[in-house]
Amino acid sequence: MSAKLKSSISSCFKMHGLSLRSDAAKYLTDILSTLNEREKEDWLERIIESVRKQPLNSALLKKSLIESAVEECKQGEDDDSDQVFNVIDAFSVPRFTFNQEQKKFVKDPKAVNLHGNAAVKNALFLDRYTLLHQRTSRHSLFTPPVQGTTVDTKTTKFQLKPVEFLLGSTAKIGELIVLGMLTQLKEGKYFLEDPTGVVELDLSKAQFHKGFFTENSFVLAEGWYEDQVFHVNGLGFPPPEPADVTRSFFGTVNFFGGPLPTSAKSSEKLAAIETSNQEAMFVLLSDIWLDQVRVREKLSTLFAGYSEMPPTCFVFCGNFSSAPYGQNHVKSLQESFRILTDMICEQPYLMENSRFVFVPGPQDPGPSSILPRPPIPQCISEYMTQKIPSAVFTSNPCRIQYCTQEIVVFREDIIMKMCRNSIKFPESRTEIPKNFMKSVACQAHLSPLPLHVSPVYWSYDNALRIYPLPDLVVFGDKYDPYTVTTAGCIGTNTGSFSKNGYSFKVYYPHSRSVEDSQIED
């Protein structure tokens, strides 16, 4: 029996290009021999996934490495029930890079410098391109038919070409599709750039698909090449990929961040807790001007209304003041948060059973407008965190893991910037939310804009990436409220609570639905 199990274990590792030393194989055989067949398969899959996440110097695995992988899996199983709710700071989001040889994402263990050098900026765009290229290459439109299978003549297959393929040709080439970054290297002239080169574009006859096409966004350009110019017939985005499809290729890797060793989606315990708690809800608000008496009155009404059925979490996004500048700004905010703390404390049942997450806005106190933004300074939040232990002041953007669900919160007036910098504006204003959400999902990035328009710390660009796509992305934008779903990812904009009639959103994880709410006058 043990010989058969040992052979089965070795075969599983060999399928992933790995081999076990004899002592490692014996160790695994002894551990798994007490489990039933289904448990053996589950544990083997998790152990292999844990091993693959580690930087391997050799495909021949030592016993010590297997032991650490087993301990990690055990820890994950023990801790699952305690990890129902986690707020993940943008500066602690793990950084993964795609390894072309291994065809998998590898965690970067290197320490990060906030102010990186020129090589870090280069890696920022290269990592974005590599992520989108591997995703696009796996799409059904770009995967060649498997030999020996029946070819579907109704489905047209395409082949991605690098820019250097165009530059190396002297004759006219037709029916090309190239993935690259849209740039404007000369005034009024657009170019397509990838790691292999740059080619000038002729967009005079191009048909634009849905989305906001801005500089530094990655596009699929279809057309023909002649005389060192790529004449574009159609311009679109790399197709988005549902999260379950991504995970089917990369397993239980925890891209999202947080304390769990593997993705929360793979936890049966967390899934059971989520299913049993059908009353869970998230109350989402943005632009809460705490210095205005009328706004504080409406918040008091909100807390009183939820006092008997406390939500899982309140998410408050800035700006937290209607007058964000001046010498008394910090002192005013200190007093405003002190009043808000006392308001919450008046509802003890709510305070004990709900969590309160605060995300800074563009005009709240902080070092600069560069993303990601650190939390609101401790000198402002200290009184609340002492009085309310469940209050969390976090970065912008931030991530929230609730059971198996992944939620991203981003407070930025991003739609206005996208509209201003797009080379093609949507035909109808009503199409703006759909175009915006498609752009974000296709680019797998919260802010697919030029760095001079939306500055990003080069070393922390990964904190703005959304891959795999989360269950919910909350935009605290002053634009009109909306809710749009793209590739299984819900994108919702709360709108301005203070300027938009005290409206807000409520998210129900059990049904994965968003409800419009408002406090009437």
Side-chain angles (χ1 to χ4, degrees):
M1 179 67 180
S2 60
K4 184 179 179 181
L5 177 59
K6 187 175 181 180
S7 175
S8 174
I9 292 171
S10 298
S11 298
C12 285
F13 276 85
K14 285 179 180 177
M15 287 175 63
H16 292 83
L18 304 169
S19 300
L20 293 169
R21 288 183 179 271
S22 57
D23 56 345
K26 184 178 183 302
Y27 170 73
L28 265 185
T29 304
D30 293 341
I31 285 181
L32 300 179
S33 59
T34 58
L35 306 177
N36 60 42
E37 287 302 317
R38 184 175 178 181
E39 289 174 333
K40 286 174 186 173
E41 291 178 6
D42 180 53
W43 269 88
L44 260 179
E45 183 181 332
R46 288 163 59 192
I47 291 169
I48 291 172
E49 190 61 46
S50 177
V51 167
R52 291 181 65 189
K53 286 192 297 180
Q54 302 183 36
L56 303 176
N57 298 321
S58 170
L60 188 61
L61 307 178
K62 299 178 181 179
K63 180 183 175 182
S64 58
L65 196 147
I66 298 297
E67 285 176 336
S68 62
V70 170
E71 285 302 315
E72 184 179 312
C73 293
K74 283 182 178 178
Q75 184 182 359
E77 189 169 78
D78 294 339
D79 293 348
D80 273 359
S81 59
D82 299 328
Q83 307 296 345
V84 173
F85 185 93
N86 288 293
V87 178
I88 302 158
D89 187 280
F91 297 95
S92 63
V93 172
R95 183 170 183 262
F96 287 88
T97 53
F98 186 72
N99 187 304
Q100 296 282 9
E101 296 177 355
Q102 299 181 19
K103 300 297 181 186
K104 70 171 187 176
F105 282 92
V106 179
K107 192 173 182 179
D108 191 346
K110 292 184 292 186
V112 175
N113 186 351
L114 182 65
H115 301 289
N117 55 25
V120 177
K121 183 181 181 182
N122 180 57
L124 178 156
F125 293 110
L126 184 59
D127 287 347
R128 287 193 201 179
Y129 172 84
T130 307
L131 184 153
L132 296 175
H133 187 270
Q134 63 83 24
R135 190 187 75 185
T136 306
S137 300
R138 288 189 282 101
H139 193 272
S140 57
L141 291 174
F142 298 96
T143 50
V146 180
Q147 290 185 351
T149 59
T150 304
V151 179
D152 186 1
T153 55
K154 295 180 181 179
T155 304
T156 305
K157 295 285 186 178
F158 302 97
Q159 188 176 4
L160 285 177
K161 296 290 185 183
V163 170
E164 67 177 355
F165 178 81
L166 281 64
L167 301 178
S169 175
T170 55
K172 179 180 176 180
I173 313 174
E175 297 185 4
L176 290 166
I177 294 185
V178 182
L179 173 65
M181 185 173 72
L182 200 59
T183 58
Q184 190 176 185
L185 302 181
K186 296 179 182 178
E187 184 67 31
K189 288 188 177 182
Y190 288 95
F191 294 78
L192 195 66
E193 182 177 353
D194 75 359
T196 67
V198 184
V199 64
E200 185 180 338
L201 297 178
D202 175 12
L203 300 175
S204 59
K205 297 181 180 179
Q207 288 188 338
F208 290 82
H209 292 234
K210 287 186 178 181
F212 287 103
F213 295 87
T214 62
E215 287 183 61
N216 291 170
S217 62
F218 289 86
V219 297
L220 285 172
E222 183 269 327
W224 49 279
Y225 178 75
E226 187 178 25
D227 296 332
Q228 298 183 332
V229 177
F230 188 18
H231 302 269
V232 180
N233 295 327
L235 203 68
F237 285 137
E241 184 176 75
D244 56 346
V245 176
T246 305
R247 292 192 178 89
S248 69
F249 284 97
F250 301 112
T252 58
V253 177
N254 184 5
F255 292 95
F256 196 69
L260 293 175
T262 57
S263 171
K265 294 287 183 184
S266 63
S267 172
E268 294 181 2
K269 285 185 178 179
L270 291 178
I273 294 172
E274 183 181 322
T275 304
S276 63
N277 189 11
Q278 299 185 14
E279 304 300 322
M281 58 180 157
F282 286 70
V283 178
L284 314 168
L285 308 90
S286 179
D287 254 5
I288 305 151
W289 296 344
L290 297 175
D291 58 328
Q292 293 194 354
V293 176
R294 190 67 175 150
V295 172
R296 297 203 295 263
E297 289 175 354
K298 294 298 181 183
L299 286 176
S300 180
T301 303
L302 180 76
F303 295 143
Y306 280 114
S307 60
E308 295 183 3
M309 281 190 64
T312 306
C313 179
F314 288 92
V315 178
F316 300 101
C317 299
N319 302 314
F320 292 105
S321 174
S322 61
Y325 303 109
Q327 59 182 357
N328 296 322
H329 185 203
V330 172
K331 187 175 181 180
S332 173
L333 273 176
Q334 287 175 330
E335 182 60 28
S336 296
F337 272 100
R338 183 179 291 270
I339 295 171
L340 179 63
T341 302
D342 294 338
M343 285 168 52
I344 296 173
C345 291
E346 289 174 2
Q347 307 291 346
Y349 189 65
L350 185 74
M351 184 182 74
E352 292 172 6
N353 292 277
S354 291
R355 295 172 176 85
F356 305 87
V357 176
F358 295 86
V359 180
Q363 296 176 333
D364 287 321
S368 68
S369 59
I370 305 174
L371 295 171
R373 287 175 59 88
I376 286 174
Q378 188 178 358
C379 63
I380 297 173
S381 62
E382 189 174 17
Y383 181 79
M384 177 173 282
T385 52
Q386 288 176 354
K387 290 277 188 178
I388 307 173
S390 58
V392 178
F393 286 79
T394 186
S395 62
N396 178 27
C398 73
R399 302 180 176 194
I400 300 173
Q401 171 247 320
Y402 168 70
C403 292
T404 68
Q405 299 219 12
E406 298 175 346
I407 300 168
V408 174
V409 182
F410 184 40
R411 172 62 183 99
E412 184 72 19
D413 296 327
I414 191 74
I415 283 188
M416 178 180 66
K417 293 180 180 180
M418 295 286 279
C419 290
R420 284 179 176 176
N421 292 276
S422 180
I423 63 176
K424 174 71 173 178
F425 196 78
E427 295 178 0
S428 170
R429 178 180 167 83
T430 58
E431 293 293 311
I432 287 178
K434 290 182 180 178
N435 279 263
F436 169 69
M437 190 58 198
K438 181 178 180 181
S439 301
V440 168
C442 291
Q443 299 293 316
H445 200 277
L446 292 171
S447 182
L449 284 160
L451 295 180
H452 67 272
V453 176
S454 180
V456 175
Y457 286 114
W458 302 339
S459 303
Y460 288 98
D461 182 68
N462 62 298
L464 278 78
R465 294 177 199 157
I466 45 174
Y467 187 80
L469 289 174
D471 295 280
L472 175 70
V473 181
V474 180
F475 296 99
D477 198 309
K478 64 182 181 183
Y479 188 79
D480 298 339
Y482 62 81
T483 300
V484 179
T485 301
T486 301
C489 174
I490 303 171
T492 187
N493 180 39
T494 60
S496 174
F497 180 78
S498 302
K499 292 172 65 179
N500 198 34
Y502 311 105
S503 63
F504 58 97
K505 299 280 189 180
V506 181
Y507 175 63
Y508 298 94
H510 177 70
S511 60
R512 297 188 78 246
S513 60
V514 178
E515 185 179 88
D516 295 326
S517 298
Q518 187 174 14
I519 302 174
E520 299 288 348
D521 281 323

